[in-house]
Amino acid sequence: MNLVAILAGGVGARMGMSRPKQFLEFAGRTVLEHSVQAFENHPAVDRILIVMNSDYVDEAKTIIKRNNWPKVCGVIIGGNNRYDSSGAAIDYFLGNAPNDKILIHDAARPLVSTELITRVFSALDKYDAVNVGITPTNTIVEINGKGEVTATPDREKLIACQTPQGFRLGLISRAYEMAALQADFTATDDCGVVAKMLPDIKIFVAQGDENNQKLTRPEDLPVFEYFFNRRK
């Protein structure tokens, strides 16, 4: 079975907004709706779970009812950070087979394409963990605490990570179980949990998409709408 967890637990604090960014609108729909619809439309997806902040679960349920998405199996409450929200989604699906595939996606990336979703699912036929990324277009440098450049890594060996990231359910659940035993463990993405807890596991990087950007500020919305309409 092919599972999807869409993480929409943010509350908009970093954007300085009164409402979470997943409820902002472009092209006539909310960011959350665009993200869910991309997976709802994909023929390989069987079940979709939405992870929300507790204050917005009812609003998410209203959106689900309005769209009548048959693949959406529920809405659950996330944790205090992304790591906890991913863990909650993984726990929800633990009754499924360990070999099932699960994709974990940030709702704030509403322009995820059918082709990208397919690439991640296909890569999971060979690998148990799949990241998604693009080569940075700008030169990346390392600096010290004084702001001085200490190294200039080869840009061709670097990637800017995106989502969805994909896993075999048994593998990602084992990584999260191990992480839960570590005091004050944190990770910024799910492949990072696998890399830290299961360093022998090879993580494949599927080619990302330049348009699969993350919404970070309200001014991004006209750009998202432009690329959405161009793709249509």
Side-chain angles (χ1 to χ4, degrees):
M1 185 172 285
N2 292 331
L3 313 169
V4 174
I6 296 181
L7 307 184
V11 294
R14 283 185 293 182
M15 290 182 71
M17 301 183 60
S18 59
R19 280 175 59 75
K21 57 188 175 182
Q22 57 267 28
F23 295 119
L24 299 179
E25 294 188 10
F26 71 93
R29 305 181 85 179
T30 64
V31 170
L32 177 61
E33 286 175 289
H34 284 290
S35 292
V36 175
Q37 194 66 58
F39 292 94
E40 180 71 38
N41 289 344
H42 198 285
V45 173
D46 296 305
R47 299 174 69 194
I48 302 169
L49 177 69
I50 301 174
V51 185
M52 295 294 303
N53 179 279
S54 59
D55 292 337
Y56 299 96
V57 168
D58 288 341
E59 189 165 354
K61 289 181 178 179
T62 298
I63 290 174
I64 293 169
K65 185 176 181 180
R66 179 171 73 225
N67 286 274
N68 192 29
W69 289 312
K71 295 181 182 180
V72 174
C73 59
V75 181
I76 65 170
I77 297 172
N80 294 326
N81 53 48
R82 189 189 190 284
Y83 164 74
D84 292 327
S85 292
S86 290
I90 293 163
D91 288 344
Y92 178 91
F93 283 125
L94 283 183
N96 287 72
N99 209 39
D100 283 352
K101 300 174 182 179
I102 180 170
L103 270 55
I104 302 177
H105 183 65
D106 295 330
R109 294 185 186 273
L111 295 181
V112 58
S113 66
T114 298
E115 293 79 12
L116 178 53
I117 296 169
T118 298
R119 285 199 292 273
V120 179
F121 275 133
S122 297
L124 285 171
D125 290 335
K126 184 176 180 180
Y127 295 89
D128 291 336
V130 177
N131 206 333
V132 172
I134 57 175
T135 302
T137 56
N138 297 319
T139 298
I140 306 296
V141 299
E142 294 181 10
I143 61 173
N144 59 22
K146 300 177 181 179
E148 301 164 341
V149 174
T150 58
T152 304
D154 182 355
R155 191 170 60 193
E156 295 303 315
K157 296 181 180 179
L158 301 174
I159 65 162
C161 294
Q162 301 179 342
T163 63
Q165 295 179 354
F167 310 90
R168 292 290 178 172
L169 182 59
L171 176 94
I172 191 64
S173 62
R174 181 156 54 100
Y176 266 80
E177 287 173 5
M178 295 172 67
L181 301 176
Q182 305 292 318
D184 301 322
F185 180 86
T186 59
T188 57
D189 73 334
D190 303 293
C191 280
V193 179
V194 173
K196 291 180 180 179
M197 295 295 103
L198 301 169
D200 292 335
I201 296 296
K202 292 182 179 179
I203 302 173
F204 178 74
V205 180
Q207 179 62 44
D209 186 336
E210 291 284 352
N211 294 338
N212 185 34
Q213 297 299 317
K214 191 171 185 178
L215 176 64
T216 57
R217 53 189 180 179
E219 303 92 278
D220 294 335
L221 291 171
V223 179
F224 278 43
E225 182 156 0
Y226 168 79
F227 284 112
F228 174 81
N229 289 330
R230 190 176 73 167
R231 187 167 67 188
K232 285 182 65 178

